Amino acid sequence: KVWTKEERYRPYQEWDKTHLALLKEKIANSKWRLGYHIQPNTGLLNDPNGFSFFNDQWHVFYQSYPMGAVHGLKSWYHLTSDNLVDWKEEGTKVFPDSLYDSHGVYSGTALPVSDQLFLAYTGNVRDDNWVRHSYQLGAWMDESGTVQKIETPLIAAPPKGYTSEFRDPQVFRYNDRYLMVIGAQDETEKGKILTYQSSDLLTWQCKGELEFTDKEMGFMIECPNLLVTEDAALLIFCPQGLEPDICSYGNIYPNTYVIGDSYDSEANCLIQPTVLKNLDEGFDVYATQAFQAPDNRLLSISWVGLPEIDYPTDQEEWAHCLSSVKELFIKDKKLYQRPVAEMKQLRIGEAIELNKDSDSFFETETNQYEIRLSFDPLSSGTLTLFTNKEQNEGLTINFDSQHGKIMIDRSQAGTVFGKEYGFVRSFSVEQKPLDLQIFVDSSIVEVFINEGEKVATMRVFPETHQTGVHLECDGGYQGKLWQLRKTN
Ligand code: FRU
């Protein structure tokens, strides 16, 4: 089906009442629906928005286009949780229904302020000539979950010298005021991050460009996220059109980060920033959001999906999911990303022990499981997920811990897609005894290496019989496999 512009931007209420019900019926037959990840009921999910802790609960929203698996008229869909693994769907919360967001309630963040949650987002507007106008907008959500938009834009236009590619505000407290970082493009079409400050959240002054690199950041930066802690400043962002010699990447657009010793608000720069690094070594992570929770943990969540790429579930009228929640640690200016401790609450029953003496093939039957494997020094081998008894298909994870090399190949894992960007990702890890912790959920895999030194996330689209795990290794290992429960 080819979607016309008119269809993609048709107001939700003008769709036939039966449309969503029909989509749901179609989706119910999908073999790729997820067991414990956030996924759309219908249509397309993209960026996580407003990840926060408010009113004694975790909150996350996501970019939603419910009418089909395309980037259409976006809104914010809301979920709440008590434990970061069981999420309750609260429904669409911020609708594209005002003059300033008529063509999409685009990405943004949330900040608890006394007994309300402040939402900052981009209003996307197309004029009669289909020229884009971007407004940074605000809204308040109260404890009952009712959202009230602030009528006038927080920022009505980009500053002079910047184009209307100006979006994805992140608002946070900094000392006695509020700061906002926004993804931007300057008039020479270079990707930038702009910083604003405010004392009341309603009037904002531009502080100029955030300095964090002396390299060119492609043509546009999306979803900037600055986390300033007592010991470091972590900047996560999505540069589009980045030269690969600045940071090598395989995906259409990378999700990257830099770490500074701290953030200098006077100079609006990161102090001694590292070079750019990939946040994820896999195939599908984008638009990651992170914040410091009241319990001081740094928590992140990502969109697992990429702009401008067709995925196999598009045929089924739904697309993409969010990652599991991760806890971030910064040590010696290095980032570690680990599954949040609450993920243990998904385990059902006793773990199955895996070691050299156990069978090298294991039938999970469910494709909802966690594997933990600790290898003897210098081991190399191949772990295959989504395989069968004959072992002629599956997702292969090749490891060589002596040389600190990992290679992941999804070409035989089921229905393939994204051919243009390759089926293999290779990357290096520390040369030490390898530790793997892997979460599998129907059509997503999240691989944590050496306690979060590297993470590789990917979608795969296997056939229903592909539920086996096979491990071939030249050394010894200790491992466990837990079946995980469904939360959806
Ligand atoms: C990133 C992005 C954001 C924008 C949103 C629109 O995936 O393009 O820059 O706000 O998606 O859905």
Side-chain angles (χ1 to χ4, degrees):
K1 170 176 162 66
V2 182
W3 285 72
T4 62
K5 201 193 280 179
E6 188 280 320
E7 283 172 320
R8 280 192 288 139
Y9 290 89
R10 183 185 298 164
Y12 298 165
Q13 67 273 14
E14 287 174 22
W15 281 84
D16 194 281
K17 289 276 173 297
T18 58
H19 178 71
L20 287 183
L22 288 172
L23 287 196
K24 276 193 186 143
E25 253 174 56
K26 196 164 171 184
I27 290 166
N29 298 321
S30 170
K31 50 180 175 277
W32 294 316
R33 295 293 282 171
L34 302 155
Y36 58 91
H37 283 80
I38 293 172
Q39 64 189 342
N41 287 316
T42 62
L44 181 142
L45 165 160
N46 58 304
D47 316 355
N49 294 153
F51 187 27
S52 55
F53 187 83
F54 165 65
N55 194 25
D56 290 325
Q57 280 197 309
W58 303 102
H59 294 257
V60 73
F61 303 77
Y62 61 74
Q63 283 287 285
S64 157
Y65 179 63
M67 304 303 172
V70 291
H71 289 272
L73 185 59
K74 299 286 172 74
S75 51
W76 279 30
Y77 191 92
H78 183 208
L79 299 104
T80 53
S81 173
D82 293 324
N83 62 4
L84 294 168
V85 291
D86 293 282
W87 289 96
K88 176 167 181 263
E89 298 187 337
E90 305 283 357
T92 302
K93 272 297 161 63
V94 193
F95 288 88
D97 57 4
S98 85
L99 266 183
Y100 297 112
D101 58 21
S102 56
H103 293 70
V105 173
Y106 276 11
S107 286
T109 53
L111 183 74
V113 179
S114 63
D115 61 351
Q116 298 197 86
L117 190 65
F118 181 74
L119 311 180
Y121 67 96
T122 300
N124 181 54
V125 173
R126 296 284 192 168
D127 64 20
D128 293 344
N129 301 316
W130 208 248
V131 173
R132 190 198 297 281
H133 300 266
S134 297
Y135 302 92
Q136 312 313 321
L137 305 176
W140 293 101
M141 190 178 82
D142 67 17
E143 289 176 351
S144 74
T146 306
V147 172
Q148 185 99 45
K149 287 184 182 176
I150 296 167
E151 267 171 34
T152 45
L154 309 177
I155 301 169
K160 205 173 166 303
Y162 296 84
T163 74
S164 61
E165 303 297 325
F166 177 53
R167 57 180 170 267
D168 312 335
Q170 181 214 5
V171 177
F172 56 100
R173 265 191 199 83
Y174 186 78
N175 295 340
D176 56 349
R177 63 206 128 127
Y178 301 101
L179 291 184
M180 188 190 279
V181 291
I182 308 174
Q185 177 185 62
D186 73 13
E187 272 173 358
T188 68
E189 300 199 358
K190 301 269 180 307
K192 299 289 176 184
I193 298 175
L194 287 167
T195 309
Y196 284 71
Q197 65 175 27
S198 171
S199 53
D200 63 1
L201 290 168
L202 300 177
T203 51
W204 292 86
Q205 289 138 7
C206 187
K207 283 167 67 87
E209 288 177 11
L210 176 69
E211 257 181 66
F212 59 94
T213 180
D214 52 14
K215 301 284 197 302
E216 279 184 8
M217 293 292 102
F219 60 82
M220 169 66 187
I221 290 181
E222 295 189 314
C223 303
N225 199 276
L226 177 60
L227 262 179
V228 183
T229 70
E230 300 215 322
D231 333 285
L234 166 67
L235 178 68
I236 298 173
F237 56 104
C238 300
Q240 300 188 304
L242 184 76
E243 284 299 332
D245 57 342
I246 297 174
C247 171
S248 139
Y249 60 96
N251 300 346
I252 180 167
Y253 305 127
N255 198 169
T256 55
Y257 71 94
V258 298
I259 298 177
D261 291 326
S262 59
Y263 167 66
D264 177 341
S265 75
E266 275 307 300
N268 194 24
C269 68
L270 295 201
I271 309 286
Q272 301 272 1
T274 61
V275 296
L276 263 68
K277 292 182 189 154
N278 285 305
L279 192 62
D280 191 282
E281 303 292 342
F283 299 82
D284 305 279
V285 157
Y286 202 72
T288 301
Q289 257 196 21
F291 79 109
Q292 184 154 29
D295 59 16
N296 279 330
R297 288 187 294 178
L298 306 180
L299 300 176
S300 77
I301 192 163
S302 309
W303 175 27
V304 186
L306 288 173
E308 296 161 43
I309 306 271
D310 295 330
Y311 280 68
T313 61
D314 294 358
Q315 310 296 326
E316 302 176 345
E317 314 262 20
W318 69 284
H320 315 310
C321 62
L322 296 186
S323 69
S324 339
V325 175
K326 301 183 185 92
E327 183 171 359
L328 308 182
F329 300 85
I330 301 166
K331 208 174 153 236
D332 302 330
K333 270 171 112 164
K334 280 200 198 126
L335 180 67
Y336 296 84
Q337 307 174 67
R338 299 189 191 142
V340 79
E342 286 89 334
M343 290 293 281
K344 291 198 180 79
Q345 296 179 27
L346 294 173
R347 294 175 181 169
I348 13 182
E350 289 296 304
I352 292 143
E353 301 284 336
L354 307 170
N355 56 52
K356 258 277 79 95
D357 307 323
S358 55
D359 201 349
S360 63
F361 179 82
F362 182 82
E363 179 49 68
T364 76
E365 277 160 18
T366 64
N367 275 344
Q368 253 108 35
Y369 58 92
E370 173 190 350
I371 301 186
R372 184 87 195 239
L373 289 163
S374 306
F375 295 92
D376 290 354
L378 310 179
S379 303
S380 55
T382 304
L383 174 68
T384 311
L385 311 176
F386 305 101
T387 189
N388 55 21
K389 263 255 146 54
E390 293 73 45
Q391 286 152 46
N392 53 12
E393 54 192 346
L395 173 81
T396 55
I397 305 173
N398 254 285
F399 52 91
D400 172 350
S401 39
Q402 183 180 2
H403 301 99
K405 295 253 174 281
I406 307 268
M407 186 176 90
I408 302 179
D409 183 339
R410 68 172 173 183
S411 64
Q412 310 299 318
T415 303
V416 294
F417 66 106
K419 183 161 178 270
E420 231 183 305
Y421 297 94
F423 298 133
V424 176
R425 293 289 179 269
S426 302
F427 52 96
S428 56
V429 294
E430 277 176 44
Q431 287 163 262
K432 64 178 198 186
L434 180 69
D435 182 277
L436 294 178
Q437 186 176 12
I438 303 176
F439 291 85
V440 172
D441 184 12
S442 305
S443 59
I444 183 177
V445 183
E446 295 169 289
V447 183
F448 295 84
I449 299 144
N450 294 340
E451 309 259 8
E453 174 211 337
K454 292 273 164 80
V455 185
T457 303
M458 67 218 72
R459 296 300 301 280
V460 288
F461 297 93
E463 293 306 310
T464 30
H465 67 268
Q466 290 179 252
T467 47
V469 176
H470 181 257
L471 176 59
E472 171 200 308
C473 179
D474 63 4
Y477 57 87
Q478 290 300 318
K480 281 183 167 39
L481 186 149
W482 292 267
Q483 296 285 353
L484 300 182
R485 70 182 162 87
K486 293 190 183 194
T487 62
N488 290 330

